[in-house]
Amino acid sequence: MSKNQGGNKHQGGSKTHLGHRARKRFGQNFLNDDYVIEQIVDAINPQPGENLIEIGPGLAALTEPTADRSGHLKVIEIDRDLVERLQHHPFLGPKLEVIQADALSIDFSQFAEKNPARVFGNLPYNISTPLIFHLLKFADHLQDMHFMLQKEVVDRLAAEPGSKSYGRISVGVQQACKVTPVVAVPPSAFTPPPKVESSVVRLEPYRDSPHPVKDKAQLHSLCLTAFNQRRKTIRNNLKQLVPAEQLEALGINPGARPETLSVDDYCRISDWLTEQAEQNDSQ
């Protein structure tokens, strides 16, 4: 979005913005506050020649200033109307490679043949968690990710063990990435304004994780089970998977609540489950 189109903080009552109607099924809320946009682009710090990919460019609020700084980027957009707008945009068109697709179905490794990808976007709230877990599958091909999310989701991504926000997404993401909240975004920065606070988070995939794990899919599956009933003990939640004496052997108190275990604790349990599966397969 160009500077002269942004900054309309107070037109939030309308569901139509720049001639485009926000679509509920795509979770669209359009960013239109110049100051916030500049803060976010500064946090991303796009440079010429970088392998930049934006998910859900919408009305190009972040796309235009990013393209101005980088010269070129790929954008992934599911909404056909917005794809057409971007392809025929008088200034942006030549700087963009527009991919009409659902980001959840894309193999992101295909974009990182020459250098790692830098992924960013204002993610619809309804797909943010599954999309982040999808991208983690390609962490080896990503330099970093910057996402605007519901503040509550960013709090969960960055949460420490023992806090109410700490859960499966905290463990899964912190195992793979350094997590840094970078910009707070008020509802007034969007059209239509959402009913929640937003925040931008930086995720930097580790080359060598401080929390190594043998099988990330196993870890994610374990966390789904462990956090399914937060009020129960880890012994109860994992009783179908891990005997209590095995938890003790791994240095974990079976009477602890799931949110009190560290990322390393979950990685140790996950690795034990992986070893059990390998032993069973070899018999």
Side-chain angles (χ1 to χ4, degrees):
M1 184 182 298
S2 63
K3 292 275 184 187
N4 61 356
Q5 291 172 322
N8 301 317
K9 275 192 177 183
H10 303 295
Q11 66 183 64
S14 170
K15 293 280 196 294
T16 302
H17 187 47
L18 300 186
H20 180 84
R21 180 167 290 275
R23 298 189 179 187
K24 209 167 195 176
R25 71 190 173 103
F26 295 144
Q28 291 171 338
N29 294 87
F30 298 111
L31 186 61
N32 69 332
D33 181 315
D34 281 347
Y35 176 68
V36 171
I37 289 165
E38 203 160 311
Q39 279 187 300
I40 296 168
V41 178
D42 283 347
I44 298 168
N45 192 25
Q47 301 294 318
E50 288 184 329
N51 184 8
L52 290 148
I53 303 169
E54 182 178 11
I55 295 174
L59 295 172
L62 296 175
T63 319
E64 198 160 308
T66 303
D68 284 346
R69 297 194 199 185
S70 66
H72 186 269
L73 70 150
K74 298 178 182 74
V75 294
I76 298 166
E77 176 56 66
I78 195 171
D79 186 329
R80 192 179 300 138
D81 292 350
L82 292 174
V83 166
E84 211 162 293
R85 272 172 171 263
L86 292 162
Q87 286 171 333
H88 297 101
H89 194 291
F91 312 114
L92 273 175
K95 297 177 181 179
L96 300 183
E97 180 183 332
V98 185
I99 300 156
Q100 186 185 346
D102 179 351
L104 280 165
S105 65
I106 285 181
D107 176 348
F108 280 82
S109 64
Q110 68 181 297
F111 302 130
E113 286 178 4
K114 292 180 181 173
N115 50 351
R118 304 192 65 208
V119 180
F120 69 98
N122 170 15
L123 298 189
Y125 300 141
N126 55 345
I127 67 155
S128 58
T129 300
L131 184 54
I132 287 169
F133 276 114
H134 177 66
L135 282 159
L136 288 181
K137 296 174 195 170
F138 310 103
D140 291 347
H141 304 280
L142 304 178
Q143 180 179 322
D144 58 23
M145 298 170 267
H146 289 82
F147 293 130
M148 177 145 43
L149 303 163
Q150 201 168 325
K151 181 180 180 296
E152 183 187 313
V153 177
V154 173
D155 290 346
R156 281 161 51 202
L157 291 172
E160 297 285 331
S163 70
K164 283 185 179 177
S165 299
Y166 184 75
R168 78 177 180 96
I169 190 171
S170 320
V171 176
V173 173
Q174 289 175 31
Q175 186 281 323
C177 303
K178 180 184 176 185
V179 180
T180 314
V182 288
V183 183
V185 185
S188 57
F190 297 92
T191 302
K195 294 181 173 69
V196 293
E197 297 283 324
S198 301
S199 185
V200 178
V201 68
R202 177 183 295 132
L203 305 177
E204 299 169 88
Y206 293 118
R207 289 296 151 252
D208 293 299
S209 174
H211 316 289
V213 72
K214 292 179 178 178
D215 185 338
K216 289 182 183 181
Q218 175 69 267
L219 177 66
H220 296 166
S221 172
L222 165 67
C223 289
L224 267 175
T225 305
F227 286 98
N228 189 34
Q229 294 178 287
R230 293 175 68 98
R231 292 187 179 183
K232 291 194 172 181
T233 63
I234 202 75
R235 175 200 286 112
N236 278 335
N237 286 353
L238 298 183
K239 63 186 175 188
Q240 304 298 327
L241 294 175
V242 189
E245 53 272 25
Q246 183 58 48
L247 289 172
E248 288 178 347
L250 293 168
I252 292 157
N253 174 8
R257 294 273 179 88
E259 71 271 15
T260 64
L261 272 62
S262 68
V263 176
D264 283 334
D265 290 337
Y266 281 107
C267 290
R268 285 203 308 283
I269 299 170
S270 177
D271 283 352
W272 181 81
L273 288 167
T274 301
E275 286 161 15
Q276 295 303 110
E278 287 169 354
Q279 285 173 17
N280 291 338
D281 288 345
S282 65
Q283 286 172 2

